[in-house]
Amino acid sequence: MASTSDIRKGLCIRYNNDIYKIIEFLHVKPGKGPAFVRTKLKSVSSGKVLDNTFSAGHKIEDVRVETRSYQFLYAEGDTYHFMNTDDYNQITLQESSLDAPQLLKEGEVVTILFNTEDSMPLSVDMPASVVLEVTYTEPGVKGNTATNATKPAKVETGAEVNVPLFINEGDKIKIDTEKGNYMERVKE
């Protein structure tokens, strides 16, 4: 058993007869009244996200997890196929267990969390950022830079990202996988 002081991003807990992964949390200590922890939980079975508030000192049942490196092979509808980088065993996961499936490129290495009790895959942790090539974007209009102007660009995985006007087709860009935002242009 853990308490609310052990809450951190990525922690898997058992709550309401399901396993949830904490995707956001905030410790709140108001001037009047007891402290509490506001959390955003994502169900690893259904992908449903819910907000919950735990009072300070509340006991939570954490789930022991094991992490393994897997390489993304290909997607087939809502099913994603991964291969273990150590023993080459393959597993398939549903799209709901991925945080940012639209940014997943074939060959990308991700970390998959497994429940140590029954070896069931719980969720997929993407790398902090990915480098993808821009396949389509409108040319930037000269003189349209009074503010931080952006334009939509389609990347090689099919995702659409807002990029600055100086980005052209064929450029490689670094994308933050947590928010899906453009970070920088990558020179190779």
Short mmCIF file of all heavy atoms in Angstrom, two decimals, residues 5-53:
data_model
loop_
_atom_site.label_atom_id
_atom_site.label_comp_id
_atom_site.label_asym_id
_atom_site.label_seq_id
_atom_site.Cartn_x
_atom_site.Cartn_y
_atom_site.Cartn_z
N SER A 5 1.36 10.70 -0.75
CA SER A 5 2.68 11.32 -0.91
C SER A 5 3.53 10.58 -1.95
O SER A 5 4.51 11.11 -2.45
CB SER A 5 3.42 11.38 0.43
OG SER A 5 3.62 10.08 0.93
N ASP A 6 3.16 9.33 -2.28
CA ASP A 6 3.89 8.55 -3.27
C ASP A 6 3.37 8.74 -4.68
O ASP A 6 3.92 8.17 -5.63
CB ASP A 6 3.80 7.05 -2.92
CG ASP A 6 4.40 6.75 -1.56
OD1 ASP A 6 5.47 7.32 -1.26
OD2 ASP A 6 3.80 5.96 -0.81
N ILE A 7 2.31 9.54 -4.86
CA ILE A 7 1.72 9.74 -6.18
C ILE A 7 2.70 10.48 -7.08
O ILE A 7 3.28 11.49 -6.70
CB ILE A 7 0.38 10.50 -6.09
CG1 ILE A 7 -0.68 9.59 -5.49
CG2 ILE A 7 -0.06 11.02 -7.45
CD1 ILE A 7 -2.04 10.23 -5.34
N ARG A 8 2.89 9.93 -8.27
CA ARG A 8 3.76 10.56 -9.27
C ARG A 8 3.21 10.20 -10.66
O ARG A 8 2.41 9.29 -10.79
CB ARG A 8 5.20 10.11 -9.13
CG ARG A 8 5.41 8.65 -9.41
CD ARG A 8 6.83 8.17 -9.13
NE ARG A 8 7.00 6.81 -9.56
CZ ARG A 8 6.52 5.74 -8.95
NH1 ARG A 8 5.83 5.88 -7.85
NH2 ARG A 8 6.72 4.53 -9.43
N LYS A 9 3.66 10.92 -11.65
CA LYS A 9 3.20 10.67 -13.01
C LYS A 9 3.68 9.30 -13.46
O LYS A 9 4.83 8.94 -13.27
CB LYS A 9 3.74 11.76 -13.93
CG LYS A 9 3.18 11.70 -15.31
CD LYS A 9 3.68 12.85 -16.13
CE LYS A 9 3.14 12.67 -17.53
NZ LYS A 9 3.67 13.61 -18.44
N GLY A 10 2.78 8.51 -14.05
CA GLY A 10 3.13 7.19 -14.55
C GLY A 10 2.89 6.07 -13.56
O GLY A 10 2.99 4.90 -13.91
N LEU A 11 2.54 6.39 -12.31
CA LEU A 11 2.27 5.36 -11.29
C LEU A 11 0.98 4.64 -11.64
O LEU A 11 -0.02 5.26 -12.01
CB LEU A 11 2.15 6.00 -9.91
CG LEU A 11 1.82 5.07 -8.75
CD1 LEU A 11 3.03 4.20 -8.41
CD2 LEU A 11 1.39 5.85 -7.53
N CYS A 12 0.99 3.32 -11.55
CA CYS A 12 -0.21 2.52 -11.81
C CYS A 12 -0.83 2.13 -10.48
O CYS A 12 -0.12 1.62 -9.60
CB CYS A 12 0.13 1.27 -12.62
SG CYS A 12 0.61 1.64 -14.31
N ILE A 13 -2.13 2.39 -10.33
CA ILE A 13 -2.83 2.08 -9.08
C ILE A 13 -4.10 1.28 -9.38
O ILE A 13 -4.62 1.32 -10.49
CB ILE A 13 -3.20 3.36 -8.29
CG1 ILE A 13 -4.17 4.25 -9.08
CG2 ILE A 13 -1.96 4.14 -7.89
CD1 ILE A 13 -4.75 5.39 -8.27
N ARG A 14 -4.55 0.54 -8.36
CA ARG A 14 -5.80 -0.19 -8.46
C ARG A 14 -6.87 0.70 -7.80
O ARG A 14 -6.74 1.09 -6.65
CB ARG A 14 -5.69 -1.53 -7.74
CG ARG A 14 -6.78 -2.51 -8.10
CD ARG A 14 -6.55 -3.87 -7.47
NE ARG A 14 -5.25 -4.47 -7.78
CZ ARG A 14 -4.96 -5.14 -8.89
NH1 ARG A 14 -5.89 -5.28 -9.82
NH2 ARG A 14 -3.77 -5.66 -9.09
N TYR A 15 -7.92 1.02 -8.58
CA TYR A 15 -8.95 1.93 -8.10
C TYR A 15 -10.28 1.53 -8.75
O TYR A 15 -10.32 1.30 -9.96
CB TYR A 15 -8.56 3.37 -8.48
CG TYR A 15 -9.54 4.43 -8.09
CD1 TYR A 15 -9.71 4.81 -6.76
CD2 TYR A 15 -10.32 5.06 -9.05
CE1 TYR A 15 -10.61 5.79 -6.41
CE2 TYR A 15 -11.23 6.04 -8.70
CZ TYR A 15 -11.37 6.39 -7.38
OH TYR A 15 -12.27 7.36 -7.03
N ASN A 16 -11.34 1.40 -7.97
CA ASN A 16 -12.66 1.00 -8.48
C ASN A 16 -12.61 -0.28 -9.32
O ASN A 16 -13.15 -0.34 -10.42
CB ASN A 16 -13.30 2.12 -9.32
CG ASN A 16 -13.86 3.22 -8.45
OD1 ASN A 16 -13.87 3.12 -7.23
ND2 ASN A 16 -14.33 4.27 -9.09
N ASN A 17 -11.92 -1.29 -8.81
CA ASN A 17 -11.81 -2.60 -9.47
C ASN A 17 -11.21 -2.53 -10.87
O ASN A 17 -11.54 -3.33 -11.74
CB ASN A 17 -13.16 -3.30 -9.52
CG ASN A 17 -13.72 -3.55 -8.14
OD1 ASN A 17 -12.96 -3.86 -7.22
ND2 ASN A 17 -15.01 -3.39 -7.99
N ASP A 18 -10.35 -1.56 -11.14
CA ASP A 18 -9.67 -1.43 -12.42
C ASP A 18 -8.27 -0.91 -12.14
O ASP A 18 -7.98 -0.42 -11.05
CB ASP A 18 -10.44 -0.47 -13.33
CG ASP A 18 -10.05 -0.61 -14.80
OD1 ASP A 18 -9.21 -1.48 -15.11
OD2 ASP A 18 -10.58 0.16 -15.63
N ILE A 19 -7.40 -1.00 -13.12
CA ILE A 19 -6.04 -0.47 -12.98
C ILE A 19 -5.97 0.83 -13.76
O ILE A 19 -6.34 0.90 -14.93
CB ILE A 19 -4.99 -1.47 -13.48
CG1 ILE A 19 -5.04 -2.74 -12.63
CG2 ILE A 19 -3.60 -0.86 -13.44
CD1 ILE A 19 -4.11 -3.83 -13.08
N TYR A 20 -5.51 1.88 -13.08
CA TYR A 20 -5.41 3.21 -13.68
C TYR A 20 -3.96 3.67 -13.63
O TYR A 20 -3.22 3.35 -12.71
CB TYR A 20 -6.26 4.23 -12.92
CG TYR A 20 -7.74 4.07 -13.15
CD1 TYR A 20 -8.50 3.23 -12.36
CD2 TYR A 20 -8.38 4.79 -14.15
CE1 TYR A 20 -9.87 3.08 -12.56
CE2 TYR A 20 -9.74 4.65 -14.37
CZ TYR A 20 -10.47 3.81 -13.57
OH TYR A 20 -11.82 3.67 -13.78
N LYS A 21 -3.59 4.47 -14.63
CA LYS A 21 -2.27 5.09 -14.68
C LYS A 21 -2.45 6.58 -14.42
O LYS A 21 -3.34 7.21 -15.00
CB LYS A 21 -1.66 4.86 -16.06
CG LYS A 21 -0.27 5.43 -16.24
CD LYS A 21 0.24 5.11 -17.63
CE LYS A 21 1.52 5.81 -17.91
NZ LYS A 21 1.96 5.60 -19.29
N ILE A 22 -1.65 7.14 -13.53
CA ILE A 22 -1.75 8.57 -13.22
C ILE A 22 -1.05 9.34 -14.34
O ILE A 22 0.14 9.15 -14.58
CB ILE A 22 -1.12 8.87 -11.85
CG1 ILE A 22 -1.93 8.16 -10.76
CG2 ILE A 22 -1.06 10.37 -11.61
CD1 ILE A 22 -1.35 8.25 -9.38
N ILE A 23 -1.82 10.20 -15.02
CA ILE A 23 -1.22 10.97 -16.12
C ILE A 23 -0.96 12.43 -15.71
O ILE A 23 -0.13 13.08 -16.32
CB ILE A 23 -2.07 10.91 -17.41
CG1 ILE A 23 -3.53 11.26 -17.16
CG2 ILE A 23 -1.99 9.54 -18.02
CD1 ILE A 23 -4.38 11.30 -18.41
N GLU A 24 -1.67 12.91 -14.68
CA GLU A 24 -1.42 14.25 -14.14
C GLU A 24 -1.76 14.23 -12.67
O GLU A 24 -2.65 13.50 -12.24
CB GLU A 24 -2.32 15.30 -14.81
CG GLU A 24 -1.87 15.79 -16.14
CD GLU A 24 -2.80 16.85 -16.71
OE1 GLU A 24 -3.42 17.60 -15.92
OE2 GLU A 24 -2.92 16.92 -17.93
N PHE A 25 -1.04 15.04 -11.88
CA PHE A 25 -1.39 15.18 -10.47
C PHE A 25 -0.96 16.55 -9.98
O PHE A 25 -0.09 17.19 -10.56
CB PHE A 25 -0.74 14.08 -9.62
CG PHE A 25 0.74 14.26 -9.42
CD1 PHE A 25 1.23 14.86 -8.26
CD2 PHE A 25 1.63 13.84 -10.38
CE1 PHE A 25 2.60 15.03 -8.07
CE2 PHE A 25 2.99 14.00 -10.20
CZ PHE A 25 3.48 14.60 -9.04
N LEU A 26 -1.62 17.00 -8.92
CA LEU A 26 -1.32 18.29 -8.33
C LEU A 26 -1.59 18.21 -6.84
O LEU A 26 -2.72 17.92 -6.42
CB LEU A 26 -2.18 19.39 -8.96
CG LEU A 26 -2.02 20.79 -8.40
CD1 LEU A 26 -0.62 21.33 -8.73
CD2 LEU A 26 -3.07 21.71 -8.97
N HIS A 27 -0.55 18.43 -6.03
CA HIS A 27 -0.71 18.49 -4.57
C HIS A 27 -1.24 19.88 -4.23
O HIS A 27 -0.65 20.89 -4.61
CB HIS A 27 0.62 18.26 -3.85
CG HIS A 27 1.07 16.85 -3.87
ND1 HIS A 27 0.63 15.92 -2.96
CD2 HIS A 27 1.92 16.19 -4.69
CE1 HIS A 27 1.20 14.75 -3.22
NE2 HIS A 27 1.98 14.89 -4.28
N VAL A 28 -2.38 19.94 -3.54
CA VAL A 28 -3.00 21.22 -3.19
C VAL A 28 -3.05 21.33 -1.68
O VAL A 28 -3.53 20.43 -1.00
CB VAL A 28 -4.43 21.33 -3.78
CG1 VAL A 28 -5.05 22.66 -3.40
CG2 VAL A 28 -4.40 21.15 -5.28
N LYS A 29 -2.53 22.44 -1.17
CA LYS A 29 -2.57 22.69 0.28
C LYS A 29 -3.26 24.04 0.49
O LYS A 29 -2.60 25.08 0.48
CB LYS A 29 -1.16 22.70 0.85
CG LYS A 29 -1.13 22.70 2.35
CD LYS A 29 0.26 22.44 2.87
CE LYS A 29 0.18 22.39 4.39
NZ LYS A 29 1.47 22.17 4.98
N PRO A 30 -4.59 24.01 0.61
CA PRO A 30 -5.30 25.29 0.76
C PRO A 30 -5.00 25.92 2.11
O PRO A 30 -4.58 25.25 3.05
CB PRO A 30 -6.77 24.88 0.65
CG PRO A 30 -6.80 23.45 1.04
CD PRO A 30 -5.48 22.87 0.66
N GLY A 31 -5.25 27.22 2.22
CA GLY A 31 -5.01 27.92 3.48
C GLY A 31 -5.94 27.43 4.58
O GLY A 31 -5.60 27.46 5.76
N LYS A 32 -7.11 27.00 4.20
CA LYS A 32 -8.08 26.54 5.18
C LYS A 32 -8.51 25.12 4.79
O LYS A 32 -8.86 24.86 3.66
CB LYS A 32 -9.29 27.47 5.15
CG LYS A 32 -10.28 27.24 6.24
CD LYS A 32 -11.36 28.31 6.16
CE LYS A 32 -12.29 28.17 7.35
NZ LYS A 32 -13.32 29.19 7.31
N GLY A 33 -8.45 24.20 5.72
CA GLY A 33 -8.85 22.83 5.43
C GLY A 33 -7.65 21.93 5.16
O GLY A 33 -6.52 22.40 5.06
N PRO A 34 -7.93 20.64 5.02
CA PRO A 34 -6.83 19.68 4.83
C PRO A 34 -6.29 19.69 3.39
O PRO A 34 -6.98 20.08 2.46
CB PRO A 34 -7.48 18.34 5.15
CG PRO A 34 -8.92 18.55 4.81
CD PRO A 34 -9.23 19.98 5.13
N ALA A 35 -5.06 19.22 3.25
CA ALA A 35 -4.43 19.11 1.93
C ALA A 35 -5.06 17.95 1.16
O ALA A 35 -5.63 17.04 1.74
CB ALA A 35 -2.93 18.89 2.08
N PHE A 36 -4.93 18.00 -0.17
CA PHE A 36 -5.44 16.92 -1.01
C PHE A 36 -4.63 16.85 -2.30
O PHE A 36 -3.84 17.74 -2.60
CB PHE A 36 -6.94 17.09 -1.30
CG PHE A 36 -7.31 18.40 -1.95
CD1 PHE A 36 -7.33 18.54 -3.32
CD2 PHE A 36 -7.65 19.51 -1.17
CE1 PHE A 36 -7.68 19.74 -3.92
CE2 PHE A 36 -7.99 20.71 -1.76
CZ PHE A 36 -8.01 20.82 -3.14
N VAL A 37 -4.83 15.77 -3.03
CA VAL A 37 -4.13 15.56 -4.30
C VAL A 37 -5.17 15.42 -5.40
O VAL A 37 -6.02 14.54 -5.35
CB VAL A 37 -3.24 14.29 -4.25
CG1 VAL A 37 -2.50 14.12 -5.57
CG2 VAL A 37 -2.25 14.37 -3.12
N ARG A 38 -5.11 16.32 -6.37
CA ARG A 38 -6.01 16.27 -7.52
C ARG A 38 -5.30 15.49 -8.61
O ARG A 38 -4.18 15.81 -8.98
CB ARG A 38 -6.31 17.70 -7.97
CG ARG A 38 -7.52 17.83 -8.85
CD ARG A 38 -7.85 19.28 -9.12
NE ARG A 38 -8.56 19.86 -7.99
CZ ARG A 38 -8.32 21.07 -7.50
NH1 ARG A 38 -7.37 21.82 -8.02
NH2 ARG A 38 -9.01 21.53 -6.50
N THR A 39 -5.95 14.43 -9.13
CA THR A 39 -5.30 13.58 -10.12
C THR A 39 -6.16 13.42 -11.37
O THR A 39 -7.37 13.61 -11.33
CB THR A 39 -5.03 12.17 -9.56
OG1 THR A 39 -6.27 11.57 -9.20
CG2 THR A 39 -4.10 12.20 -8.38
N LYS A 40 -5.50 13.06 -12.45
CA LYS A 40 -6.16 12.66 -13.68
C LYS A 40 -5.71 11.23 -13.94
O LYS A 40 -4.52 10.97 -14.07
CB LYS A 40 -5.77 13.58 -14.83
CG LYS A 40 -6.70 13.49 -16.03
CD LYS A 40 -6.37 14.55 -17.05
CE LYS A 40 -7.24 15.77 -16.76
NZ LYS A 40 -7.20 16.75 -17.83
N LEU A 41 -6.65 10.29 -13.96
CA LEU A 41 -6.35 8.88 -14.09
C LEU A 41 -6.82 8.35 -15.44
O LEU A 41 -7.91 8.71 -15.90
CB LEU A 41 -7.07 8.08 -12.98
CG LEU A 41 -6.84 8.54 -11.54
CD1 LEU A 41 -7.79 7.82 -10.60
CD2 LEU A 41 -5.42 8.28 -11.13
N LYS A 42 -6.01 7.48 -16.06
CA LYS A 42 -6.39 6.87 -17.33
C LYS A 42 -6.49 5.36 -17.12
O LYS A 42 -5.54 4.73 -16.66
CB LYS A 42 -5.35 7.17 -18.41
CG LYS A 42 -5.69 6.57 -19.76
CD LYS A 42 -4.66 6.92 -20.81
CE LYS A 42 -5.05 6.33 -22.15
NZ LYS A 42 -4.07 6.62 -23.18
N SER A 43 -7.65 4.80 -17.45
CA SER A 43 -7.85 3.37 -17.32
C SER A 43 -7.00 2.65 -18.35
O SER A 43 -7.03 2.99 -19.53
CB SER A 43 -9.32 3.02 -17.53
OG SER A 43 -9.48 1.64 -17.64
N VAL A 44 -6.23 1.63 -17.91
CA VAL A 44 -5.39 0.91 -18.86
C VAL A 44 -6.19 -0.10 -19.67
O VAL A 44 -5.74 -0.56 -20.71
CB VAL A 44 -4.20 0.22 -18.15
CG1 VAL A 44 -3.27 1.24 -17.55
CG2 VAL A 44 -4.67 -0.76 -17.11
N SER A 45 -7.40 -0.46 -19.21
CA SER A 45 -8.20 -1.42 -19.96
C SER A 45 -9.08 -0.74 -21.01
O SER A 45 -9.19 -1.20 -22.13
CB SER A 45 -9.06 -2.25 -19.01
OG SER A 45 -9.90 -1.41 -18.26
N SER A 46 -9.70 0.39 -20.65
CA SER A 46 -10.62 1.03 -21.59
C SER A 46 -10.08 2.33 -22.20
O SER A 46 -10.61 2.81 -23.18
CB SER A 46 -11.95 1.34 -20.88
OG SER A 46 -11.75 2.31 -19.87
N GLY A 47 -9.05 2.91 -21.58
CA GLY A 47 -8.50 4.17 -22.09
C GLY A 47 -9.28 5.39 -21.61
O GLY A 47 -8.95 6.51 -21.95
N LYS A 48 -10.33 5.17 -20.79
CA LYS A 48 -11.16 6.26 -20.29
C LYS A 48 -10.37 7.09 -19.27
O LYS A 48 -9.67 6.54 -18.43
CB LYS A 48 -12.42 5.68 -19.66
CG LYS A 48 -13.44 6.70 -19.24
CD LYS A 48 -14.72 6.04 -18.82
CE LYS A 48 -14.52 5.34 -17.49
NZ LYS A 48 -15.75 4.82 -16.92
N VAL A 49 -10.48 8.42 -19.34
CA VAL A 49 -9.78 9.31 -18.43
C VAL A 49 -10.78 9.90 -17.45
O VAL A 49 -11.86 10.33 -17.85
CB VAL A 49 -9.07 10.44 -19.21
CG1 VAL A 49 -8.41 11.44 -18.26
CG2 VAL A 49 -8.03 9.87 -20.15
N LEU A 50 -10.43 9.88 -16.16
CA LEU A 50 -11.31 10.49 -15.17
C LEU A 50 -10.51 11.31 -14.18
O LEU A 50 -9.33 11.04 -13.94
CB LEU A 50 -12.16 9.43 -14.45
CG LEU A 50 -11.48 8.34 -13.64
CD1 LEU A 50 -11.57 8.67 -12.15
CD2 LEU A 50 -12.22 7.04 -13.89
N ASP A 51 -11.16 12.33 -13.63
CA ASP A 51 -10.55 13.18 -12.61
C ASP A 51 -10.94 12.64 -11.25
O ASP A 51 -12.08 12.25 -11.04
CB ASP A 51 -11.04 14.63 -12.74
CG ASP A 51 -10.58 15.26 -14.04
OD1 ASP A 51 -9.41 15.07 -14.40
OD2 ASP A 51 -11.39 15.95 -14.69
N ASN A 52 -10.00 12.65 -10.32
CA ASN A 52 -10.29 12.17 -8.97
C ASN A 52 -9.46 12.97 -7.97
O ASN A 52 -8.35 13.39 -8.27
CB ASN A 52 -9.98 10.68 -8.84
CG ASN A 52 -10.51 10.12 -7.54
OD1 ASN A 52 -11.63 10.38 -7.15
ND2 ASN A 52 -9.68 9.36 -6.85
N THR A 53 -10.02 13.17 -6.78
CA THR A 53 -9.33 13.87 -5.72
C THR A 53 -9.15 12.93 -4.54
O THR A 53 -10.11 12.33 -4.06
CB THR A 53 -10.13 15.12 -5.28
OG1 THR A 53 -10.33 15.94 -6.42
CG2 THR A 53 -9.40 15.90 -4.23
#
